[in-house]
Amino acid sequence: KTAYEIVDCDWSSDVCSSDLFDPGRCPSFDLGAYWRHAVACALCSEALARARGLDGGMAFGCGLLHDLGRMAMVCVAPDDYAQMLRTRATQDTRLLDAERACLGLDHAALGAVLAEQWLLAPELVDSVALHHQPPEDGSAPMADLVHVADCIAHGLGLEGSTSESVAPMALHSWRRMDMDEPRWFLLFTELEAEHAALCQSLFPGEGANHERT
């Protein structure tokens, strides 16, 4: 499928139960790493939200779904996505740049289309669309949280894959967290422990000590 076919696809309410929504159609996509990172981002987003007096439950959901567009790409255009992964590996390029080059759009843009079609909360749509480029004016606080949480989760290596990398962090989002160094280190420690426990429950035998392949 082309990028336009992906965006124009009729994302009906039963898409998750259809044969289309099957990440197994792209064997090179590491589904375990995807969910380990999603869980890490959700936990970190929730912790940051509570520290700022925001809705922790909403932040958890935003973190969990922030890479929704990646899953959609894998399911709708598995061959193109596999080629994108190969291109990224050989050219050592950023994920967003590789997606745009191979698919014509990136996962944040596609995820936002899907989130809107599913009538998800505006905060969820914003966090999906803007988690790589949160507005400087602070108009999307959940996107701020998810952006910082995304970078932290990758920085701590919680995805557990050899291809894991940390995208540049927007300093304006980092500064809006307004936390001193001891609080950051406490958050990192608690996040790693909570992630290990939750992954052990969701993915028995893995936890935070997943063997990198």
Side-chain angles (χ1 to χ4, degrees):
K1 287 182 180 291
T2 67
Y4 296 105
E5 288 175 314
I6 294 172
V7 171
D8 291 338
C9 187
D10 181 16
W11 296 102
S12 61
S13 60
D14 62 350
V15 67
C16 282
S17 62
S18 73
D19 292 337
L20 174 67
F21 216 74
D22 177 12
R25 297 171 66 208
C26 182
S28 57
F29 176 69
D30 189 339
L31 183 61
Y34 173 89
W35 282 117
R36 286 190 296 274
H37 174 67
V39 168
C41 192
L43 290 170
C44 189
S45 296
E46 180 183 32
L48 291 172
R50 288 178 174 172
R52 297 191 61 202
L54 299 176
D55 186 339
M58 175 61 73
F60 186 94
C62 289
L64 193 67
L65 296 177
H66 75 286
D67 276 340
L68 177 63
R70 292 189 66 201
M71 184 71 77
M73 285 179 166
V74 168
C75 296
V76 178
D79 294 337
D80 291 336
Y81 202 81
Q83 178 59 48
M84 183 279 297
L85 292 174
R86 289 190 292 270
T87 299
R88 184 191 181 201
T90 57
Q91 298 182 3
D92 192 26
T93 186
R94 292 176 62 234
L95 177 62
L96 292 181
D97 294 334
E99 288 174 345
R100 291 165 186 158
C102 295
L103 291 145
L105 78 171
D106 59 58
H107 67 271
L110 178 58
V113 172
L114 180 55
E116 287 182 339
Q117 290 186 353
W118 278 353
L119 303 179
L120 298 184
E123 296 91 342
L124 280 160
V125 176
D126 284 347
S127 63
V128 170
L130 303 171
H131 68 275
H132 285 292
Q133 293 182 310
E136 291 190 26
D137 62 5
S139 58
M142 285 295 165
D144 266 338
L145 296 179
V146 173
H147 171 73
V148 173
D150 186 31
C151 293
I152 290 173
H154 280 308
L156 293 175
L158 298 180
E159 176 183 293
S161 70
T162 56
S163 62
E164 188 165 14
S165 61
V166 184
M169 182 181 290
L171 289 180
H172 54 267
S173 295
W174 173 266
R175 289 168 181 153
R176 274 195 286 269
M177 298 303 104
D178 193 26
M179 290 170 59
D180 57 23
E181 187 172 295
R183 292 179 70 195
W184 278 118
F185 279 112
L186 178 60
L187 183 146
F188 299 157
T189 300
E190 292 178 343
L191 173 60
E192 288 179 320
E194 290 175 4
H195 183 260
L198 187 52
C199 283
Q200 185 62 44
S201 298
L202 296 174
F203 320 114
E206 289 191 2
N209 296 316
H210 177 76
E211 182 180 355
R212 293 171 183 253
T213 56

